[in-house]
């Protein structure tokens, strides 16, 4: 029986990964370790919280002693590491949180795994979840492949790049059995509404302005979160030790185009006059160090492990909008309190 530690399982992607593993593998014991920062929300896992193979641990990965003790108590044999500070804008205003959680926190987990697995590395796996942002920015053509040189530009992506290097260093130096994946932008249910797609949906709902950074010409490659979770399942089980896999949707959109599409779909859903949401679009000051374009070549994952995304974007974005409209109490809950202060600070600066 596997004992799997999933970190950051109360967050956006983590909650989809925890649900998939708990439901698909009743024989595994799944331990969801999360600090429950503003981005962590146990309501994301209400439907599975009473399953006998699910356990929640509230802990901070920056606390190395606590992490060691948890390994001592539970003797995890695998780690799927998603816990991170994940929002680029927050990393620009407060980089230190990103250095602590994303770098120091990752090293604490690596140290605990190394310490407790050193005598028997058989059947062990340390799976580090990373991002395409470590590769930097593309021009108008080309794709990120697994061998693209790292060139991060924000404190967030630099902290993730640093953690990727450390994971590889523990593989090369201590033979820790690791695997890494770098994924493009995710969208779907349960994403914290500081990120572009849920922010736009929520602002349209409240008739608030839709802040577009710069000219809205930056391009992102969007993948439905459940397809990322399916890729993680596959890589966890059959990915090759020491390898890296890129994950992406082959689904590039300019920000302004995706915002216009959401406006059109929201007008239909809310029975508003066609074109009324688009009037809320407001161009604001650009993000500092804003990467122009991300696009992933996921052919290694497709050819070697047989992964293909299951959902077309047109269907995924409709499902996503429906989820936020059907889960307004969830949105209202996470956008109250501290989020309002963050929102004012972040967007006042951009006016
Ligand atoms: P998220 O911000 O929604 O969730 C992060 C989770 O980590 C939260 O539950 C939070 O409480 C927890 N956490 C934060 N600091 C912690 C700490 N010190 N100790 C323990 N738990 C802590 O993030 P997400 O969007 O779900 O991203 C998850 C992972 O996937 C991250 O590593 C991110 O870099 C990576 N990633 C995200 C995307 C994306 O589009 N969102 C794409 C590629 C990779
Ligand atoms: O590429 C993977 C990354 O995708 C992940 O590693 C990050 O954790 C995740 O947050 C995401 O980063 P981005 O910076 O691409 O996502 P975000 O939703 O913040 O922004 C998407 C694009 O939209 C980006 O070009 C900035 C722009 N934007 C964003 C916000 C919040 C706006 O124009 N207006 C906004 O208000």
């Amino acid at each position: 029986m596997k004992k799997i530690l999933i970190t950051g399982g109360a967050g956006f992607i983590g909650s989809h990964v925890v649900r998939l593993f708990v439901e698909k593998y009743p024989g595994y014991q799944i331990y969801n370790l999360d600090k429950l920062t503003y981005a962590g929300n146990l309501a994301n896992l209400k439907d599975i919280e009473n399953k006998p193979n699910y356990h929640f641990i509230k802990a901070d990965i920056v606390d190395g002693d606590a992490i060691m003790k948890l390994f001592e108590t539970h003797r995890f044999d695998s780690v799927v590491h998603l816990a991170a500070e994940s929002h680029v804008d927050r990393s620009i205003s407060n980089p230190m949180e990103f250095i602590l959680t994303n770098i120091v926190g990752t090293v604490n987990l690596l140290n605990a795994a190394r310490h407790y697995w050193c005598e028997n590395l058989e059947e062990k796996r340390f799976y580090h979840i990373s991002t395409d942002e470590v590769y930097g920015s593309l021009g108008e053509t080309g794709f990120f492949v697994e061998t693209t040189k790292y060139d991060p530009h924000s404190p967030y992506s630099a902290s993730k790049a640093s953690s990727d290097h450390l994971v590889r260093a523990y593989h090369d130096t201590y033979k820790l059995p690791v695997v890494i994946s770098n994924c493009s932008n995710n969208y779907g249910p349960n994403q914290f509404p500081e990120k572009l797609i849920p922010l736009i949906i929520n602002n349209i709902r409240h008739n608030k302005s839709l802040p577009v950074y710069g000219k809205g010409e930056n391009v992102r490659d969007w993948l439905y979160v459940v397809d990322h979770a399916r890729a993680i399942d596959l890589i966890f089980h059959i990915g090759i030790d020491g390898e890296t896999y890129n994950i992406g949707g082959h689904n590039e959109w300019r920000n302004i185009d995706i915002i216009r599409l959401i406006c059109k779909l929201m007008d239909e859903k809310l029975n508003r006059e066609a074109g009324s949401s688009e009037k809320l679009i407001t161009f604001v000051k650009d993000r500092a160090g804003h990467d122009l374009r991300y696009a992933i070549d996921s052919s290694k994952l497709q050819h070697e492990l047989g992964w293909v995304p299951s959902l077309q974007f047109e269907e995924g974005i409709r499902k996503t909008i429906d989820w936020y409209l059907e889960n307004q109490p969830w949105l209202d809950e996470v956008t109250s309190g501290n989020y309002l202060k963050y929102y004012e600070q972040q967007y006042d600066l951009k006016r």
Side-chain angles (χ1 to χ4, degrees), residues 10 13 24 31 42 50 74 76 82 100 103 112 147 196 213 256 262 284 295 335-337 351:
I13 302 170
K24 188 168 170 187
Y31 294 81
L42 287 177
N50 293 322
H74 299 289
F76 309 116
L82 296 111
L100 291 173
I103 306 177
T147 50
L196 182 70
Y213 294 173
I256 189 67
I262 297 171
V284 300
T335 51
S336 62
R351 273 192 198 130

Side-chain angles (χ1 to χ4, degrees), residues 7-15 33-41 59-63 81-87 97 100-102 105 128-132 156 160 181-187 190-192 194-195 222 228:
T7 70
F12 167 46
I13 302 170
S15 60
L33 181 158
D34 202 294
K35 181 181 170 184
L36 299 181
T37 67
Y38 75 94
N41 187 349
D60 183 348
I61 57 170
V62 178
D63 183 345
H81 175 35
L82 296 111
E85 286 291 336
S86 68
H87 190 38
E97 284 291 318
L100 291 173
T101 288
N102 299 0
H128 178 61
I129 308 298
S130 192
T131 169
D132 60 357
Y156 163 69
K160 291 296 289 188
S181 58
N182 296 79
C183 189
S184 63
N185 286 63
N186 285 214
Y187 72 99
N190 305 99
Q191 186 167 31
F192 196 83
E194 64 189 351
K195 308 279 169 64
W222 294 95
H228 187 188

Side-chain angles (χ1 to χ4, degrees), residues 4-11 14-15 18 30-37 40 42 45 54-71 74 76 78-84 101 105 108-109 112:
I4 306 179
L5 173 67
I6 301 184
T7 70
S15 60
V18 166
I30 304 298
Y31 294 81
N32 168 17
L33 181 158
D34 202 294
K35 181 181 170 184
L36 299 181
T37 67
L42 287 177
L45 291 166
Y54 171 73
H55 314 272
F56 175 67
I57 301 168
K58 186 170 188 306
D60 183 348
I61 57 170
V62 178
D63 183 345
D65 291 342
I67 296 301
M68 278 289 179
K69 280 191 197 122
L70 286 166
F71 269 75
H74 299 289
F76 309 116
S78 314
V79 176
V80 181
H81 175 35
L82 296 111
T101 288
N108 284 336
L109 290 162

Side-chain angles (χ1 to χ4, degrees), residues 283-295:
F283 291 91
V284 300
K285 195 168 154 217
D286 207 354
R287 173 184 279 173
H290 199 173
D291 288 331
L292 177 67
R293 175 172 166 257
Y294 304 145

Side-chain angles (χ1 to χ4, degrees), residues 107-224:
V107 175
N108 284 336
L109 290 162
L110 288 166
N111 282 341
R114 182 183 162 221
H115 182 80
Y116 284 99
W117 298 350
C118 59
E119 274 159 24
N120 179 11
L121 292 172
E122 287 286 300
E123 306 281 315
K124 305 289 194 300
R125 169 138 279 184
F126 189 106
Y127 181 2
H128 178 61
I129 308 298
S130 192
T131 169
D132 60 357
E133 298 202 12
V134 298
Y135 299 123
S137 184
L138 291 163
E140 284 179 6
T141 57
F143 295 92
F144 296 134
V145 291
E146 285 78 0
T147 50
T148 301
K149 195 166 135 306
Y150 275 30
D151 183 23
H153 297 136
S154 71
Y156 163 69
S157 53
S159 69
K160 291 296 289 188
S162 176
S163 63
D164 292 10
H165 289 315
L166 285 156
V167 171
R168 288 196 186 97
Y170 273 61
H171 175 262
D172 297 348
T173 310
Y174 308 115
K175 308 286 171 245
L176 199 73
V178 310
V179 67
I180 299 181
S181 58
N182 296 79
C183 189
S184 63
N185 286 63
N186 285 214
Y187 72 99
N190 305 99
Q191 186 167 31
F192 196 83
E194 64 189 351
K195 308 279 169 64
L196 182 70
I197 289 181
L199 182 139
I200 294 298
I201 295 171
N202 192 38
N203 282 16
I204 293 176
R205 191 165 75 92
H206 289 293
N207 266 312
K208 276 172 76 171
S209 68
L210 310 178
V212 182
Y213 294 173
K215 293 183 181 155
E217 286 173 351
N218 304 67
V219 173
R220 297 292 183 264
D221 175 0
W222 294 95
L223 179 69
Y224 194 62

